[in-house]
Amino acid sequence: MTGFGGVKSVVVVGLGMTGLSVVKHLLRQPEALIVKVIDTRETPPGQDQLPEHVELYSGGWQQDWLLEADLIVTNPGIALASHQLQPAIKKGTPVVGDIELFAWAVTAPVIAITGSNGKSTVTDLTGEMANAAGVKTAVGGNIGFAALDLLEQEAELYVLELSSFQLETTSSLKLKAAAFLNLSEDHMDRYQGMADYRQAKLRIFDNADVCIVNRDDKETYPDIKGKTVKSFGFDEGNYGCVIQNGVSYLAIDSTPIIAADELGLVGKHNIANSLVAIALLDAVGIKVASTLEILRTYNGLTHRCQVVADNKGIRWVNDSKATNVASTLAALSGLKIDGKLHLLVGGVGKGADFSELSPALHDLNLMMYCFGEDGDQFLSLDPRSQQCQTMDEAIENLFPTLAEGDMVMLSPACASFDQYANFMARGDAFTQLARQYSTES
C-alpha cells in the first residue's frame, strides 16, 4: 500500500504533536476521509486543537473503530505487537506510521539518519550544513518538527531523524542517502533482543540509494546484498581521518577537508558525527567546501553535553539526552576535568544492563548520585555512589562539596518519564538548578 486508494475510514492511534500532524495531513487529502482518534490518556495533549468533526475516544481503546477502519495510523510509541492492534492486523488492515504517510506524499529528495546514539546531532548538523550551502532544507522526524508538518514548508531537501519505532511502520520511504550510526543496547523492554532491535533499524536501508555505515560497528551494515555502501570511521578509508604534519584532519578518501581541532563540536564521537554529515551531503551532491564554516561554529544540541553554567571554576553540563548506557559512555569518553566529576544518573532503565559503565567510572575522579525509579541499579557499579530520590535532592547533597575545577554532569543513561514529561523537561530542570546553585556563594 502506497497511498489512500480505496481508503474511506482512518483511525489515528495517539494524539500529541505527531498525532495532530497526522490528522491535519489526512484532512488535507483530496479524498473525503473519515478520521477518528484513539488515545489511552484521559486528557491527551492536543485534544483542544482537534477539529470539531474529528471524533476522539480517550482513556482507553475502542476496538470497534480499529476493526472497522480501512487504515490505522499509529503513534511510534505503540508497538505493532500490541495485543490491541493484533485483531485489526490479522484482519488485514494496514497499520502505518506518520513517516509512511510522509513517504506517500513527499516529492523532494530525502536523507535520513538512525542509530542508538548521535542521530539528533547528525540530523541537526546536516540540516544546518545543507542550508549553509544554499539548499533550502527542512529538518524533523524524531527531532523538532513532525515529518508531516515539514511538508508545509517549501523545501528542496528533507533531513529526517528516524527511530527504530518509526521504522517499524515504514516500508516505502525512498532515500537518496541513509545513515545507520551505531547499535547499542536500548529499548530492550520493547524488543525481543538485540537482533530484533537491529532489524528494525536496518529498515532504513530498504529503499536507500546510498547506505552509510560505521566501519567500527559491523552491525550497521545492511544484510541486503548489492547495496551501494559508504563508510565512516577514524582510519583513512572513505570518510575518515588522516594525519598530516602531526595534525588530524577529517577527510574524504584520504583528502583532508578540515582539521579536527577546528570543529565547533568537541569529543571523538563528534568527529564521527561530523564525518556522517559530510558523507550524507556528499551523497546528494552538496559541496562540502561550502559548509565548512558551519562545522567550525556548530556547538551542538540543547540537552547534549551542553555547558549550562560555568562559575567559580565549576562547570554544570546538561546531557539529559543521554537516555541509554552508550550515550553516557560517549559523554564520559575522553572527559578532561581538573577536579572531581559529580555524575547524576538514573530514571527509567528500559531493561538495560548498566554494568558497561563500571570500567569508565573506575578511571574517573568522581562521585555518582543515583536517583529515580531505577537509580538503585547504579549503586553496585562504583563504591563512590549515593542514592537519592530526586535530582533536586542529589544537587542539594553535592553542592556543599563543590570546589574549583569540579564538573556537575547530568548524563542519566535512562529515560525520564518516571519524574519528568520527557528528557527536555529533565534537562530544563537541571539547567534551572545549575544556574540557581552556581550563583550562590
Side-chain angles (χ1 to χ4, degrees):
M1 182 176 187
T2 55
F4 294 104
V7 172
K8 295 179 180 177
S9 170
V10 184
V11 173
V12 179
V13 183
L15 202 49
M17 181 182 76
T18 300
L20 278 173
S21 74
V22 170
V23 170
K24 286 192 298 179
H25 179 74
L26 293 171
L27 295 179
R28 286 197 298 265
Q29 300 310 306
E31 297 87 353
L33 300 173
I34 300 168
V35 180
K36 297 179 180 181
V37 179
I38 295 171
D39 197 298
T40 58
R41 295 166 288 191
E42 291 290 347
T43 54
Q47 65 178 0
D48 57 328
Q49 298 174 57
L50 271 182
E52 287 185 10
H53 66 281
V54 175
E55 198 171 350
L56 170 67
Y57 186 92
S58 60
W61 290 83
Q62 174 52 278
Q63 287 295 329
D64 289 347
W65 287 7
L66 294 172
L67 290 170
E68 292 164 4
D70 300 315
L71 175 69
I72 296 169
V73 184
T74 186
N75 183 281
I78 300 166
L80 290 175
S82 167
H83 71 271
Q84 292 93 344
L85 292 176
Q86 283 304 302
I89 290 172
K90 288 175 181 173
K91 184 186 171 188
T93 306
V95 179
V96 301
D98 68 309
I99 304 301
E100 181 66 9
L101 298 186
F102 175 89
W104 297 352
V106 70
T107 54
V110 186
I111 56 183
I113 300 98
T114 197
S116 299
N117 296 292
K119 56 186 179 291
S120 295
T121 297
V122 172
T123 303
D124 192 53
L125 174 59
T126 303
E128 292 277 348
M129 292 169 69
N131 276 309
V135 178
K136 195 177 290 184
T137 304
V139 179
N142 196 46
I143 177 180
F145 292 97
L148 290 169
D149 287 343
L150 297 180
L151 294 173
E152 298 179 45
Q153 302 180 28
E154 290 182 12
E156 300 168 296
L157 176 69
Y158 293 95
V159 182
L160 300 183
E161 174 188 325
L162 298 179
S163 69
S164 58
F165 295 176
Q166 290 170 310
L167 288 164
E168 286 175 25
T169 52
T170 303
S171 56
S172 57
L173 180 62
K174 291 181 170 57
L175 299 171
K176 289 295 181 184
F180 186 172
L181 306 182
N182 45 56
L183 186 73
S184 60
E185 187 179 70
D186 201 2
H187 306 300
M188 289 300 102
D189 52 347
R190 169 122 165 191
Y191 294 105
Q192 295 176 10
M194 288 296 289
D196 189 28
Y197 177 40
R198 174 177 178 262
Q199 288 303 316
K201 291 283 192 189
L202 283 176
R203 291 173 66 92
I204 199 169
F205 291 146
D206 285 355
N207 299 294
D209 292 345
V210 178
C211 305
I212 296 165
V213 300
N214 185 342
R215 283 199 293 279
D216 295 325
D217 189 345
K218 297 304 180 186
E219 295 295 292
T220 63
Y221 283 62
D223 291 338
I224 303 168
K225 303 298 182 187
K227 287 284 185 181
T228 300
V229 175
K230 301 286 186 178
S231 67
F232 68 93
F234 299 108
D235 56 9
E236 291 194 18
N238 239 179
Y239 301 91
C241 297
V242 296
I243 306 292
Q244 289 192 356
N245 300 320
V247 178
S248 177
Y249 289 87
L250 282 68
I252 300 177
D253 293 327
S254 299
T255 301
I257 301 297
I258 185 173
D261 61 8
E262 287 186 60
L263 296 177
L265 292 169
V266 296
K268 188 176 180 182
H269 62 293
N270 279 319
I271 292 175
N273 290 338
S274 300
L275 286 168
V276 177
I278 290 168
L280 287 165
L281 297 180
D282 200 28
V284 293
I286 294 176
K287 300 297 182 187
V288 176
S290 60
T291 70
L292 295 183
E293 192 54 34
I294 296 298
L295 285 172
R296 293 186 180 100
T297 58
Y298 182 80
N299 58 11
L301 291 165
T302 305
H303 309 296
R304 189 70 178 110
C305 291
Q306 177 195 27
V307 177
V308 293
D310 188 347
N311 192 29
K312 299 172 184 173
I314 300 165
R315 286 179 295 164
W316 299 69
V317 179
N318 171 18
D319 192 35
S320 185
K321 202 172 190 307
T323 58
N324 58 40
V325 172
S327 197
T328 296
L329 281 170
L332 297 178
S333 176
L335 205 58
K336 292 181 174 63
I337 308 168
D338 294 333
K340 179 179 285 187
L341 173 65
H342 300 264
L343 180 64
L344 280 63
V345 297
V348 180
K350 300 176 289 184
D353 176 7
F354 298 116
S355 62
E356 286 182 61
L357 284 172
S358 195
L361 299 172
H362 181 266
D363 295 333
L364 292 167
N365 175 18
L366 64 64
M367 184 68 190
M368 187 162 64
Y369 302 83
C370 316
F371 68 94
E373 183 176 303
D374 291 324
D376 59 339
Q377 294 187 30
F378 292 85
L379 294 172
S380 62
L381 302 181
D382 194 283
R384 301 162 296 173
S385 301
Q386 179 184 122
Q387 186 166 15
C388 308
Q389 293 305 307
T390 64
M391 182 169 64
D392 298 55
E393 181 188 334
I395 292 175
E396 185 179 345
N397 290 354
L398 69 85
F399 180 68
T401 72
L402 291 177
E404 186 175 346
D406 285 3
M407 176 186 288
V408 183
M409 175 185 276
L410 169 67
S411 189
C414 287
S416 57
F417 47 80
D418 56 336
Q419 297 180 345
Y420 299 93
N422 48 49
F423 75 82
M424 294 88 79
R426 178 174 61 190
D428 289 341
F430 173 81
T431 299
Q432 185 176 355
L433 289 166
R435 290 172 181 167
Q436 173 193 326
Y437 277 93
S438 67
T439 57
E440 293 185 10
S441 56

